[in-house]
Amino acid sequence: MNAIYDKLTKCVESVRKRTDFVPKVAIVLGSGLGDYANDIKVECEIDYHDIEGFPVSTVPGHAGKFIFGYVDSVPVVCMKGRVHYYEGYPISDVVMPARLMKLLGAEILFLTNASGGLNPEFSAGTFMLITDHISCFAPNPLIGPNIDELGTRFPDMTHVYDTDLQDIIRNAAKNEGITLKEGVYAQLTGPSFESPAEIKMLRTLGVDAVGMSTVVEAIAANHMGMKICGISCVCNLAAGMTANPLTHDEVQAAANEAAPKFKKLLTESVKRF
Ligand code: HPA
């Protein structure tokens, strides 16, 4: 059997020893959203450490567990903490949680993240509905023998971000009076922030927000036929767009400040799914 698929099925078995909860929506909580569990009627929590072979994050603020429960009446599984490629994990490990949540039953993947804004209309605290992505700066998670049990060799990527889910999120934002911008997200590997010249390049390519996550998960989930949506919280203007150097502390402070509105938008969207 394929070693990656083997590891994945072992993780599924490990989770199933602890809960038989079947989520409909899988939610990946980005920076600042860690306490979203408080908005969930929690049924079960599983530390990543307790899942055999599961990748565990080393980034401060990303300590990890799965939270199973209900947002309103919608069964969800939330990832509190994700692993990033820049931590040194193989890309197959980075996307393993998304694959796992699909195998636990989730049909929808809701991705959230913190990003740097390139679109001049954005500022710290802007929410951006991800309408498309640029993936070619990070390794494609589907490289290697295709795992036929998960999906096809050459998946179509025309509508990675589901248009119906996008409409639902737009309506939720409108109802809550939350301003929601839209745009293209690019994942770079990090962990260094981009140089001003790289940001200029990305702007030329049509990128609106840049970060170090999300796209590889979206590719793996699309491969498996999940419906995907994503919102990025712009935490800073990208390198070279202001005179200030970028810091992780600044990103986290902006993410924390935006969190209450972000959580509201998340809940109001998921309720409507
Ligand atoms: N670049 C990449 N990732 C980020 C940024 C950024 O400016 N801000 C938050 N995450």
Side-chain angles (χ1 to χ4, degrees):
M1 202 201 279
N2 177 291
I4 294 169
Y5 188 61
D6 194 29
K7 191 165 164 182
L8 181 60
T9 48
K10 286 210 173 82
C11 285
V12 174
E13 281 164 22
S14 195
V15 170
R16 281 294 170 235
K17 277 185 198 146
R18 288 174 172 80
T19 181
D20 56 8
F21 191 90
V22 177
K24 176 179 179 196
V25 182
I27 304 171
V28 181
L29 301 173
S31 300
L33 290 183
D35 67 351
Y36 185 64
N38 300 341
D39 295 27
I40 295 176
K41 196 158 102 254
V42 177
E43 292 280 312
C44 173
E45 296 188 1
I46 303 178
D47 277 7
Y48 298 156
H49 287 283
D50 294 331
I51 305 170
E52 197 195 321
F54 198 83
V56 177
S57 176
T58 58
V59 187
H62 280 274
K65 59 180 167 184
F66 282 119
I67 300 158
F68 296 87
Y70 294 90
V71 170
D72 205 51
S73 60
V74 182
V76 304
V77 54
C78 275
M79 283 187 70
K80 181 176 173 176
R82 54 149 67 97
V83 293
H84 300 82
Y85 183 58
Y86 61 71
E87 292 175 75
Y89 293 97
I91 202 73
S92 56
D93 271 1
V94 177
V95 300
M96 176 137 80
R99 287 173 162 164
L100 173 61
M101 294 191 289
K102 161 75 172 154
L103 293 184
L104 295 175
E107 300 152 21
I108 294 173
L109 178 63
F110 200 140
L111 293 159
T112 67
N113 64 35
S115 65
L118 283 78
N119 186 319
E121 287 179 16
F122 295 179
S123 54
T126 295
F127 297 118
M128 185 190 88
L129 181 68
I130 301 174
T131 54
D132 204 348
H133 70 220
I134 290 183
S135 84
C136 48
F137 298 103
N140 192 303
L142 307 181
I143 288 174
N146 186 51
I147 306 174
D148 296 330
E149 291 88 343
L150 303 185
T152 181
R153 171 76 290 187
F154 299 109
D156 175 60
M157 302 292 290
T158 312
H159 296 292
V160 176
Y161 302 90
D162 186 86
T163 48
D164 293 335
L165 295 179
Q166 288 185 42
D167 281 342
I168 291 170
I169 296 170
R170 285 185 191 104
N171 280 333
K174 204 166 159 196
N175 277 355
E176 296 305 313
I178 296 171
T179 305
L180 183 64
K181 306 280 190 176
E182 304 192 5
V184 173
Y185 175 91
Q187 175 176 1
L188 271 63
T189 63
S192 46
F193 288 114
E194 301 71 33
S195 69
E198 285 163 347
I199 293 301
K200 218 166 150 185
M201 169 190 74
L202 294 171
R203 281 178 71 170
T204 310
L205 296 178
V207 172
D208 296 291
V210 63
M212 305 175 193
S213 68
T214 300
V215 172
V216 290
E217 288 127 303
I219 292 173
N222 183 62
H223 179 233
M224 295 181 78
M226 291 182 92
K227 288 187 173 177
I228 301 160
C229 58
I231 302 176
S232 186
C233 177
V234 175
C235 290
N236 55 279
L237 285 179
M241 294 179 68
T242 67
N244 309 328
L246 304 181
T247 65
H248 182 60
D249 288 348
E250 168 199 1
V251 170
Q252 272 203 310
N256 291 342
E257 198 179 318
K261 250 198 211 171
F262 205 170
K263 288 190 276 189
K264 184 93 190 143
L265 181 53
L266 194 52
T267 296
E268 293 305 318
S269 300
V270 172
K271 267 162 77 171
R272 292 167 166 82
F273 284 174

